Amino acid sequence: MKYDESPTARTLMVLELIQNSPGITAVQLGDKLGVSERAARRYVAILREADIPIESVRGPYGGYRVGRGLRLPPLMFSTTEALGLVMAVLEGPRGAADPVENALGKIIRVLPEPIARSTDAIRRVSARGPDPGARTPDPEITAALVAQSTAGHRITIHYRRHHDEWPMDVDPWAVVVRRGRWYLLCWSHTKDAQRVLRVDKITKVEPLAFEFTAPPDLDALAVVEEHLAMGWKYPIEVEIDAPLAEVAQCIRRSMGRLEAIDPTHTRLLASTDEPHWYAAQLTALNAPYRILAGPELQTAAHNLGQRLITASTLT
């Protein structure tokens, strides 16, 4: 029996049609379902037997409508639809007490387990604050990546750069949202290396007959943010006279990788295209520090210091 021929499915469809088109008639319901007017009335009767308040309105503009006191039926989303909803919500900044965030959590809790697992994985691995230049990726591509990631299946992706595309065999560890940009954190078997790829540049996803296990205790968002802090034009090394835990409260993960030198000193490794901006960010540190590598950053820090001295000079 096909889904759309099931009496239960047709009864639920009648409820949806009445909700979406108040005043719809039995004849119109029958046309929509491909059944007789009598059969449509029988489906309405089934809804009433289930204590769903379906009201009849007489007159030329009459028909059926849902009365007051209806309890909402279960939500039925495909993986792509559910993930599309999450993607839309993640486009805007939210706080912990935001009603949209709370509503999204309730929706995820009542979704079927496989779909809920995929959508909640995205919701958890995300950083707030959308980038104005961010591009929302294709929901179907994103849904496929998340599904294969949660299932632990290796995939072949087609990745677009400029006007060319390359196939890559990868283990999709996680899909991460950071400031409105969507990234795939993966292990590339083609490159034999860890990679962070833009999801909006992935044009095709093909599952492979191999399974994988992501690294234990993987903090996907932290790995992506550290990755994004590297690979820029000017390399940076800073030594800070403070414990790692203390420095981590002042330096965002997206600014670079922190390493403990000893219990009281920390090393910051990073890179930047904007030394003057980076020098200003370092002023958030509440401990002495030395720029050991990066002459561009050293010059920028010197110039910033001179400006601050000039600005604080009393006349």
Side-chain angles (χ1 to χ4, degrees):
M1 179 181 295
K2 296 181 180 179
Y3 175 81
D4 59 359
E5 293 178 353
S6 163
T8 302
R10 283 181 171 170
T11 303
L12 291 174
M13 181 62 72
V14 166
L15 176 57
E16 183 176 345
L17 289 170
I18 295 174
Q19 285 179 308
N20 293 339
S21 304
I24 191 170
T25 66
V27 173
Q28 291 171 325
L29 286 173
D31 291 340
K32 296 281 188 181
L33 297 174
V35 299
S36 65
E37 177 184 352
R38 181 178 179 181
R41 294 183 184 277
R42 186 164 62 249
Y43 291 129
V44 172
I46 293 173
L47 291 173
R48 287 170 170 165
E49 289 173 2
D51 293 328
I52 296 176
I54 304 297
E55 299 177 349
S56 298
V57 179
R58 298 183 179 278
Y61 302 103
Y64 298 112
R65 67 187 67 240
V66 178
R68 300 177 66 88
L70 171 66
R71 291 183 301 174
L72 291 175
L75 293 172
M76 293 177 287
F77 293 126
S78 68
T79 300
T80 301
E81 290 172 336
L83 186 56
L85 175 62
V86 174
M87 292 170 71
V89 173
L90 290 178
E91 290 299 314
R94 313 182 302 285
D98 181 34
V100 176
E101 174 77 4
N102 294 336
L104 182 60
K106 292 179 181 179
I107 291 173
I108 289 176
R109 284 194 292 273
V110 301
L111 290 173
E113 196 275 334
I115 299 176
R117 187 172 64 249
S118 296
T119 53
D120 195 45
I122 290 297
R123 177 169 171 252
R124 287 184 288 104
V125 188
S126 64
R128 305 295 186 258
D131 187 328
R135 293 179 57 188
T136 302
D138 181 271
E140 291 190 9
I141 293 290
T142 310
L145 291 172
V146 175
Q148 300 304 322
S149 174
T150 54
H153 290 158
R154 187 174 302 170
I155 57 176
T156 296
I157 62 172
H158 292 252
Y159 197 69
R160 183 182 68 251
R161 296 196 64 179
H162 305 297
H163 300 293
D164 298 320
E165 289 187 8
W166 290 275
M168 300 173 60
D169 291 349
V170 303
D171 293 343
W173 290 347
V175 176
V176 176
V177 187
R178 181 183 178 276
R179 292 180 57 80
R181 294 188 184 274
W182 294 69
Y183 300 95
L184 174 66
L185 173 61
C186 63
W187 180 266
S188 171
H189 292 274
T190 304
K191 300 292 185 180
D192 194 28
Q194 176 183 291
R195 287 289 184 265
V196 174
L197 306 173
R198 289 261 300 273
V199 174
D200 61 291
K201 293 182 178 293
I202 298 175
T203 61
K204 190 175 183 180
V205 177
E206 300 172 332
L208 298 175
F210 299 97
E211 296 184 350
F212 72 89
T213 301
D217 302 322
L218 175 68
D219 187 339
L221 178 58
V223 173
V224 168
E225 290 191 323
E226 289 180 359
H227 174 90
L228 295 176
M230 309 302 290
W232 302 103
K233 186 175 181 180
Y234 304 114
I236 293 169
E237 181 180 354
V238 180
E239 185 178 296
I240 307 163
D241 298 341
L244 188 148
E246 181 179 320
V247 175
Q249 296 179 0
C250 303
I251 298 295
R252 301 189 305 274
R253 290 181 301 197
S254 57
M255 287 188 64
R257 184 173 70 251
L258 295 175
E259 299 177 348
I261 299 174
D262 58 42
T264 59
H265 294 82
T266 302
R267 179 183 294 109
L268 170 62
L269 298 173
S271 63
T272 185
D273 279 353
E274 302 178 8
H276 295 284
W277 173 86
Y278 204 97
Q281 302 306 304
L282 289 176
T283 61
L285 288 167
N286 294 321
Y289 61 90
R290 291 162 296 284
I291 301 171
L292 304 180
E296 297 81 8
L297 179 60
Q298 292 170 337
T299 299
H302 177 80
N303 293 339
L304 175 61
Q306 291 297 317
R307 292 202 306 271
L308 292 175
I309 292 172
T310 300
S312 63
T313 300
L314 298 177
T315 57

